[in-house]
Structure formats: structure tokens, C-alpha cells
mmCIF file of all heavy atoms in Angstrom:
data_model
loop_
_atom_site.group_PDB
_atom_site.id
_atom_site.type_symbol
_atom_site.label_atom_id
_atom_site.label_comp_id
_atom_site.label_asym_id
_atom_site.label_seq_id
_atom_site.Cartn_x
_atom_site.Cartn_y
_atom_site.Cartn_z
ATOM 1 N N MET G 1 9.412 8.630 1.390
ATOM 2 C CA MET G 1 9.349 8.333 2.847
ATOM 3 C C MET G 1 10.183 9.353 3.562
ATOM 4 O O MET G 1 11.418 9.313 3.527
ATOM 5 C CB MET G 1 9.887 6.880 3.114
ATOM 6 C CG MET G 1 9.183 5.799 2.259
ATOM 7 S SD MET G 1 9.952 4.225 2.351
ATOM 8 C CE MET G 1 9.881 3.842 4.119
ATOM 9 N N ASN G 2 9.493 10.176 4.295
ATOM 10 C CA ASN G 2 10.167 11.172 5.152
ATOM 11 C C ASN G 2 9.997 10.715 6.577
ATOM 12 O O ASN G 2 9.064 10.199 6.970
ATOM 13 C CB ASN G 2 9.620 12.578 4.947
ATOM 14 C CG ASN G 2 9.914 13.109 3.550
ATOM 15 O OD1 ASN G 2 10.895 12.727 2.900
ATOM 16 N ND2 ASN G 2 9.032 14.035 3.076
ATOM 17 N N SER G 3 11.035 11.084 7.334
ATOM 18 C CA SER G 3 11.050 10.809 8.793
ATOM 19 C C SER G 3 10.657 9.376 9.055
ATOM 20 O O SER G 3 9.771 9.001 9.883
ATOM 21 C CB SER G 3 10.144 11.640 9.573
ATOM 22 O OG SER G 3 10.466 13.059 9.366
ATOM 23 N N PRO G 4 11.339 8.365 8.351
ATOM 24 C CA PRO G 4 10.956 6.965 8.627
ATOM 25 C C PRO G 4 11.324 6.547 10.039
ATOM 26 O O PRO G 4 12.257 7.151 10.592
ATOM 27 C CB PRO G 4 11.776 6.205 7.561
ATOM 28 C CG PRO G 4 12.938 7.126 7.302
ATOM 29 C CD PRO G 4 12.383 8.486 7.391
ATOM 30 N N LYS G 5 10.681 5.608 10.570
ATOM 31 C CA LYS G 5 10.811 5.078 11.820
ATOM 32 C C LYS G 5 11.235 3.551 11.803
ATOM 33 O O LYS G 5 10.980 2.983 10.777
ATOM 34 C CB LYS G 5 9.527 5.182 12.662
ATOM 35 C CG LYS G 5 8.930 6.588 12.736
ATOM 36 C CD LYS G 5 7.614 6.617 13.467
ATOM 37 C CE LYS G 5 7.065 8.002 13.547
ATOM 38 N NZ LYS G 5 5.731 8.050 14.220
ATOM 39 N N PRO G 6 11.864 3.111 12.768
ATOM 40 C CA PRO G 6 12.276 1.680 12.762
ATOM 41 C C PRO G 6 11.057 0.806 12.445
ATOM 42 O O PRO G 6 11.222 -0.275 11.798
ATOM 43 C CB PRO G 6 12.792 1.440 14.189
ATOM 44 C CG PRO G 6 13.383 2.766 14.546
ATOM 45 C CD PRO G 6 12.417 3.821 14.034
ATOM 46 N N GLU G 7 9.873 1.120 12.961
ATOM 47 C CA GLU G 7 8.695 0.300 12.656
ATOM 48 C C GLU G 7 8.225 0.327 11.254
ATOM 49 O O GLU G 7 7.391 -0.460 10.792
ATOM 50 C CB GLU G 7 7.540 0.623 13.639
ATOM 51 C CG GLU G 7 7.180 2.148 13.618
ATOM 52 C CD GLU G 7 7.864 2.864 14.755
ATOM 53 O OE1 GLU G 7 9.058 2.635 15.080
ATOM 54 O OE2 GLU G 7 7.159 3.744 15.377
ATOM 55 N N ASP G 8 8.902 1.189 10.420
ATOM 56 C CA ASP G 8 8.593 1.198 9.010
ATOM 57 C C ASP G 8 9.419 0.127 8.280
ATOM 58 O O ASP G 8 9.285 -0.080 7.079
ATOM 59 C CB ASP G 8 8.909 2.563 8.380
ATOM 60 C CG ASP G 8 7.979 3.599 8.938
ATOM 61 O OD1 ASP G 8 6.787 3.395 9.066
ATOM 62 O OD2 ASP G 8 8.485 4.751 9.161
ATOM 63 N N THR G 9 10.362 -0.561 8.911
ATOM 64 C CA THR G 9 11.160 -1.568 8.399
ATOM 65 C C THR G 9 10.310 -2.672 7.771
ATOM 66 O O THR G 9 9.531 -3.322 8.555
ATOM 67 C CB THR G 9 12.182 -2.090 9.389
ATOM 68 O OG1 THR G 9 13.109 -1.055 9.729
ATOM 69 C CG2 THR G 9 12.979 -3.299 8.838
ATOM 70 N N ALA G 10 10.485 -2.990 6.551
ATOM 71 C CA ALA G 10 9.656 -4.068 5.895
ATOM 72 C C ALA G 10 10.112 -4.155 4.459
ATOM 73 O O ALA G 10 10.911 -3.405 3.953
ATOM 74 C CB ALA G 10 8.167 -3.715 5.944
ATOM 75 N N VAL G 11 9.625 -5.188 3.772
ATOM 76 C CA VAL G 11 9.659 -5.249 2.363
ATOM 77 C C VAL G 11 8.467 -4.510 1.813
ATOM 78 O O VAL G 11 7.310 -4.763 2.188
ATOM 79 C CB VAL G 11 9.691 -6.702 1.867
ATOM 80 C CG1 VAL G 11 9.679 -6.719 0.318
ATOM 81 C CG2 VAL G 11 10.884 -7.458 2.391
ATOM 82 N N TYR G 12 8.758 -3.580 0.854
ATOM 83 C CA TYR G 12 7.703 -2.841 0.361
ATOM 84 C C TYR G 12 7.319 -3.196 -1.044
ATOM 85 O O TYR G 12 8.244 -3.483 -1.886
ATOM 86 C CB TYR G 12 8.136 -1.299 0.315
ATOM 87 C CG TYR G 12 8.063 -0.617 1.599
ATOM 88 C CD1 TYR G 12 8.874 -0.945 2.666
ATOM 89 C CD2 TYR G 12 7.095 0.343 1.890
ATOM 90 C CE1 TYR G 12 8.769 -0.349 3.939
ATOM 91 C CE2 TYR G 12 6.950 0.878 3.134
ATOM 92 C CZ TYR G 12 7.860 0.603 4.104
ATOM 93 O OH TYR G 12 7.717 1.152 5.352
ATOM 94 N N TYR G 13 6.084 -3.405 -1.333
ATOM 95 C CA TYR G 13 5.596 -3.917 -2.553
ATOM 96 C C TYR G 13 4.751 -2.892 -3.275
ATOM 97 O O TYR G 13 3.886 -2.266 -2.693
ATOM 98 C CB TYR G 13 4.747 -5.128 -2.378
ATOM 99 C CG TYR G 13 5.447 -6.303 -1.774
ATOM 100 C CD1 TYR G 13 5.514 -6.523 -0.348
ATOM 101 C CD2 TYR G 13 6.124 -7.262 -2.613
ATOM 102 C CE1 TYR G 13 6.198 -7.598 0.129
ATOM 103 C CE2 TYR G 13 6.772 -8.291 -2.042
ATOM 104 C CZ TYR G 13 6.806 -8.494 -0.634
ATOM 105 O OH TYR G 13 7.534 -9.548 -0.109
ATOM 106 N N CYS G 14 4.937 -2.830 -4.637
ATOM 107 C CA CYS G 14 4.104 -2.010 -5.468
ATOM 108 C C CYS G 14 3.009 -2.962 -6.069
ATOM 109 O O CYS G 14 3.271 -4.082 -6.336
ATOM 110 C CB CYS G 14 4.987 -1.464 -6.592
ATOM 111 S SG CYS G 14 4.107 -0.511 -7.824
ATOM 112 N N ALA G 15 1.813 -2.382 -6.066
ATOM 113 C CA ALA G 15 0.678 -3.174 -6.612
ATOM 114 C C ALA G 15 -0.200 -2.375 -7.588
ATOM 115 O O ALA G 15 -0.288 -1.170 -7.413
ATOM 116 C CB ALA G 15 -0.157 -3.635 -5.437
ATOM 117 N N ALA G 16 -0.813 -3.078 -8.513
ATOM 118 C CA ALA G 16 -1.697 -2.491 -9.459
ATOM 119 C C ALA G 16 -3.063 -3.146 -9.418
ATOM 120 O O ALA G 16 -3.083 -4.368 -9.388
ATOM 121 C CB ALA G 16 -1.053 -2.602 -10.857
ATOM 122 N N GLY G 17 -4.079 -2.333 -9.431
ATOM 123 C CA GLY G 17 -5.418 -2.808 -9.434
ATOM 124 C C GLY G 17 -6.097 -2.571 -10.708
ATOM 125 O O GLY G 17 -6.218 -1.378 -11.251
ATOM 126 N N ARG G 18 -6.561 -3.620 -11.372
ATOM 127 C CA ARG G 18 -7.174 -3.501 -12.689
ATOM 128 C C ARG G 18 -8.569 -2.873 -12.685
ATOM 129 O O ARG G 18 -8.924 -2.116 -13.557
ATOM 130 C CB ARG G 18 -7.279 -4.944 -13.281
ATOM 131 C CG ARG G 18 -7.839 -5.036 -14.632
ATOM 132 C CD ARG G 18 -7.739 -6.442 -15.272
ATOM 133 N NE ARG G 18 -8.411 -7.363 -14.386
ATOM 134 C CZ ARG G 18 -9.702 -7.709 -14.535
ATOM 135 N NH1 ARG G 18 -10.458 -7.055 -15.362
ATOM 136 N NH2 ARG G 18 -10.270 -8.594 -13.698
ATOM 137 N N LEU G 19 -9.344 -3.147 -11.628
ATOM 138 C CA LEU G 19 -10.695 -2.621 -11.569
ATOM 139 C C LEU G 19 -10.677 -1.263 -10.826
ATOM 140 O O LEU G 19 -9.762 -0.957 -10.032
ATOM 141 C CB LEU G 19 -11.590 -3.633 -10.866
ATOM 142 C CG LEU G 19 -11.780 -4.926 -11.557
ATOM 143 C CD1 LEU G 19 -12.727 -5.840 -10.796
ATOM 144 C CD2 LEU G 19 -12.307 -4.760 -12.962
ATOM 145 N N ASN G 20 -11.726 -0.538 -10.987
ATOM 146 C CA ASN G 20 -11.735 0.803 -10.494
ATOM 147 C C ASN G 20 -12.270 0.830 -9.057
ATOM 148 O O ASN G 20 -13.499 1.134 -8.813
ATOM 149 C CB ASN G 20 -12.682 1.707 -11.415
ATOM 150 C CG ASN G 20 -12.610 3.161 -11.007
ATOM 151 O OD1 ASN G 20 -11.624 3.581 -10.440
ATOM 152 N ND2 ASN G 20 -13.618 3.895 -11.325
ATOM 153 N N TYR G 21 -11.438 0.429 -8.157
ATOM 154 C CA TYR G 21 -11.731 0.501 -6.747
ATOM 155 C C TYR G 21 -10.938 1.614 -6.096
ATOM 156 O O TYR G 21 -9.864 1.358 -5.488
ATOM 157 C CB TYR G 21 -11.497 -0.821 -6.072
ATOM 158 C CG TYR G 21 -12.415 -1.967 -6.447
ATOM 159 C CD1 TYR G 21 -11.919 -2.945 -7.230
ATOM 160 C CD2 TYR G 21 -13.711 -1.931 -6.048
ATOM 161 C CE1 TYR G 21 -12.747 -4.041 -7.646
ATOM 162 C CE2 TYR G 21 -14.565 -3.016 -6.405
ATOM 163 C CZ TYR G 21 -14.051 -4.017 -7.198
ATOM 164 O OH TYR G 21 -14.907 -5.037 -7.570
ATOM 165 N N GLU G 22 -11.366 2.843 -6.215
ATOM 166 C CA GLU G 22 -10.707 3.908 -5.526
ATOM 167 C C GLU G 22 -10.790 3.811 -4.055
ATOM 168 O O GLU G 22 -11.774 3.316 -3.478
ATOM 169 C CB GLU G 22 -11.257 5.192 -6.005
ATOM 170 C CG GLU G 22 -10.911 5.616 -7.409
ATOM 171 C CD GLU G 22 -11.189 7.108 -7.781
ATOM 172 O OE1 GLU G 22 -11.604 7.825 -6.888
ATOM 173 O OE2 GLU G 22 -11.068 7.448 -8.946
ATOM 174 N N LEU G 23 -9.745 4.185 -3.392
ATOM 175 C CA LEU G 23 -9.577 4.124 -1.951
ATOM 176 C C LEU G 23 -9.401 2.755 -1.387
ATOM 177 O O LEU G 23 -9.668 2.457 -0.219
ATOM 178 C CB LEU G 23 -10.724 4.856 -1.220
ATOM 179 C CG LEU G 23 -11.017 6.331 -1.681
ATOM 180 C CD1 LEU G 23 -12.176 6.898 -0.883
ATOM 181 C CD2 LEU G 23 -9.788 7.188 -1.548
ATOM 182 N N ALA G 24 -9.087 1.746 -2.242
ATOM 183 C CA ALA G 24 -8.931 0.412 -1.838
ATOM 184 C C ALA G 24 -7.736 0.303 -0.918
ATOM 185 O O ALA G 24 -6.649 0.764 -1.223
ATOM 186 C CB ALA G 24 -8.734 -0.499 -3.007
ATOM 187 N N ARG G 25 -7.963 -0.440 0.187
ATOM 188 C CA ARG G 25 -6.911 -0.713 1.154
ATOM 189 C C ARG G 25 -6.676 -2.227 1.341
ATOM 190 O O ARG G 25 -5.773 -2.679 2.001
ATOM 191 C CB ARG G 25 -7.215 -0.159 2.517
ATOM 192 C CG ARG G 25 -7.319 1.371 2.529
ATOM 193 C CD ARG G 25 -7.841 1.928 3.799
ATOM 194 N NE ARG G 25 -8.001 3.397 3.735
ATOM 195 C CZ ARG G 25 -7.125 4.226 4.249
ATOM 196 N NH1 ARG G 25 -6.045 3.762 4.902
ATOM 197 N NH2 ARG G 25 -7.287 5.544 4.166
ATOM 198 N N ASP G 26 -7.522 -2.931 0.648
ATOM 199 C CA ASP G 26 -7.434 -4.475 0.738
ATOM 200 C C ASP G 26 -6.488 -5.007 -0.372
ATOM 201 O O ASP G 26 -6.637 -4.640 -1.500
ATOM 202 C CB ASP G 26 -8.817 -5.025 0.590
ATOM 203 C CG ASP G 26 -8.917 -6.534 0.695
ATOM 204 O OD1 ASP G 26 -7.845 -7.135 0.955
ATOM 205 O OD2 ASP G 26 -10.023 -7.077 0.600
ATOM 206 N N ALA G 27 -5.514 -5.818 0.028
ATOM 207 C CA ALA G 27 -4.611 -6.418 -0.962
ATOM 208 C C ALA G 27 -5.373 -7.106 -2.050
ATOM 209 O O ALA G 27 -4.874 -7.266 -3.214
ATOM 210 C CB ALA G 27 -3.586 -7.260 -0.353
ATOM 211 N N GLY G 28 -6.541 -7.663 -1.692
ATOM 212 C CA GLY G 28 -7.308 -8.437 -2.646
ATOM 213 C C GLY G 28 -7.909 -7.604 -3.785
ATOM 214 O O GLY G 28 -8.339 -8.164 -4.781
ATOM 215 N N ARG G 29 -7.870 -6.279 -3.635
ATOM 216 C CA ARG G 29 -8.363 -5.362 -4.691
ATOM 217 C C ARG G 29 -7.242 -5.105 -5.715
ATOM 218 O O ARG G 29 -7.493 -4.416 -6.724
ATOM 219 C CB ARG G 29 -8.825 -4.056 -4.032
ATOM 220 C CG ARG G 29 -9.975 -4.232 -3.118
ATOM 221 C CD ARG G 29 -11.192 -4.700 -3.781
ATOM 222 N NE ARG G 29 -12.378 -4.593 -2.970
ATOM 223 C CZ ARG G 29 -13.572 -5.014 -3.229
ATOM 224 N NH1 ARG G 29 -13.845 -5.556 -4.386
ATOM 225 N NH2 ARG G 29 -14.570 -4.887 -2.349
#
């Protein structure tokens, strides 16, 4: 994270997707 902004404040979560959905942006994937 370079040049973070106050609006970047949050809890950050790492996630793993079992199926091959490249470019997935949906948490459900």
C-alpha cells in the first residue's frame, strides 16, 4: 500500500477462491 489515504482505513481481509474465477471481484467467488 503506497500513498494510502484516510479513506483506505478499514479492516483488510485476505481471501482464497477454490474455483478458477479469474478477475473475480465478488466476495462470493
Side-chain angles (χ1 to χ4, degrees):
M1 304 171 60
N2 293 333
S3 300
K5 305 174 181 179
E7 52 262 45
D8 295 319
T9 295
V11 176
Y12 282 71
Y13 297 92
C14 178
R18 182 173 57 86
L19 299 180
N20 188 25
Y21 292 109
E22 288 193 6
L23 307 181
R25 298 171 181 262
D26 183 1
R29 299 295 190 184

